[in-house]
Amino acid sequence: PKFTSWLRPRWRTTSSFALLRSLNSRSVVREFGDSAGAFFLPQTYNNSRSNELGLSLDYGRGLRLLAGDSSGVASLVRRFRPLELAWTKARLSSFDLATFSPSLSYQLALGGRDAFLEQEGRRALGASETNGTTAATGLDFPFGLTATINYTDLVTQRFQQVNEGFLVATVSQREWPSGTLRFTRSFRRGALTLLTLAAGLRERRGSTIQPSASGTQAVTANRSRTLNPELQLGFRNGLNALATLNDVRQSSEVNGSTTELDQDDLTATLSLPFKLPFRVGGQRRVARSSFTALLSRAEQCLQRRDAPDCQVISDTRRQEFRASVDTDVISIATAGLQVGYTINELRHLDRKTSQVFLLLTFTLSLFSGDYR
């Protein structure tokens, strides 16, 4: 329902059901597990239910209606994007070698957690329940500057059938801070037509608690931070330049041992369309050319409890340079040429390889509409 122009709540629910029967790959099963029960084909039931409660809060519009469009507050909050909030709950279950007939309630995935864990005295082979919270908003600053902010928190409980009960594993993940910042500027004069500066930041923290039948627990913790700066330039002669950097820092802890990952990927691309100096197919064709350089580095080390230093277990480097040009030979055919040089280095193994490649392509597009 729409209460006001600045507040829009929503509720969404979905369900699914699947039945899989094995005709000849598995042996038949008895209803009561002995010779007195009826025969059943091996069958598996799966169902799921997802509920989402959310709202869209346009607080900028609400403050403008409260203070008036001509006020100074209205001019400030006009740049605020709506705040999107959502709370989700999802459950699913799987019954293998099921001998009961699935009821309509099970097919529609109705009921609470117990309805997913047990049906007619039969326990599920596995089930899970996920609770999540998400939030997203943004700002539109003057002079082409925009920002987006995101928040995500997920907690999943996985139930695995063991003997007379269930083992419950808990997986949690939180993404914060997370967002992007982008500046875009167009130019009417000069050699430069477009300038774009952008950066994205995403930090994730998660943990997994996995119990065992003996009563011990295996704990895994993960943490990562990703930074993605970007620069794009557009020139009036058609030249476009794009440079991106993917900077990843990741830490994984398993039973006291920590693995650290440090990775950087730098990619630069230049593209320029130009007219060929000769005629192809009776006319001057436009060729599309590009040059790409890739520099990649990934270093991984292991920090043990009894070791003071982080021991390097993997150190890889990669350099790749590619140049390509392609053009339309005729309306339904395209020809292209690509050359490249690649260097792969495994420093932890003291190994280095290089490769030169040449690729010539010819593409013919056959479509009945071209011959009408």
Side-chain angles (χ1 to χ4, degrees), residues 182-246:
R182 179 176 294 272
F183 171 76
T184 304
R185 182 70 182 274
S186 300
F187 302 92
R188 296 183 178 180
R189 299 178 180 178
L192 196 63
T193 60
L194 178 66
L195 170 63
T196 299
L197 293 171
L201 175 64
R202 175 180 296 178
E203 184 169 335
R204 293 179 177 179
R205 297 184 181 183
S207 63
T208 301
I209 302 176
Q210 180 67 54
S212 64
S214 60
T216 60
Q217 290 184 344
V219 180
T220 304
N222 300 298
R223 180 176 179 179
S224 65
R225 192 268 299 160
T226 305
L227 181 63
N228 302 105
E230 177 184 322
L231 171 63
Q232 183 177 1
L233 298 174
F235 296 89
R236 205 165 299 277
N237 61 353
L239 177 65
N240 287 287
L242 176 63
T244 60
L245 174 64
N246 185 34

Side-chain angles (χ1 to χ4, degrees), residues 3 15 28 42 71 89 115 120 136-137 139 177 187 189 191 216 225 247 256 262 294 297:
F3 294 108
S15 68
V28 296
S71 64
K89 181 185 288 291
E120 299 185 15
T137 186
L139 292 172
F187 302 92
R189 299 178 180 178
T216 60
R225 192 268 299 160
D247 184 12
D262 186 359
L294 171 63
R297 179 188 67 88

Side-chain angles (χ1 to χ4, degrees), residues 225 227 244-250 260-267 293-301 312-320 343-348:
R225 192 268 299 160
L227 181 63
T244 60
L245 174 64
N246 185 34
D247 184 12
V248 179
R249 301 292 184 271
Q250 183 174 324
E260 303 282 348
L261 173 64
D262 186 359
Q263 180 176 345
D264 296 305
D265 298 316
L266 176 62
T267 305
L294 171 63
L295 303 177
S296 177
R297 179 188 67 88
E299 182 177 339
Q300 196 171 14
C301 66
V312 176
I313 58 176
S314 176
D315 188 358
T316 61
R317 311 294 172 95
R318 178 181 175 86
Q319 301 178 36
E320 183 174 333
I343 301 176
N344 292 310
E345 184 178 2
L346 304 178
R347 293 194 173 184
H348 60 289

Side-chain angles (χ1 to χ4, degrees), residues 26-40:
R26 304 171 69 180
S27 302
V28 296
V29 295
R30 292 275 191 167
E31 181 178 7
F32 303 109
D34 54 25
S35 59
F39 287 99
F40 281 88

Side-chain angles (χ1 to χ4, degrees), residues 250-287:
Q250 183 174 324
S251 175
S252 302
E253 182 178 352
V254 181
N255 296 330
S257 299
T258 304
T259 303
E260 303 282 348
L261 173 64
D262 186 359
Q263 180 176 345
D264 296 305
D265 298 316
L266 176 62
T267 305
T269 302
L270 294 175
S271 60
L272 176 67
F274 63 92
K275 288 187 177 181
L276 294 175
F278 50 87
R279 295 180 178 272
V280 179
Q283 58 180 335
R284 295 281 294 275
R285 298 285 182 177
V286 176

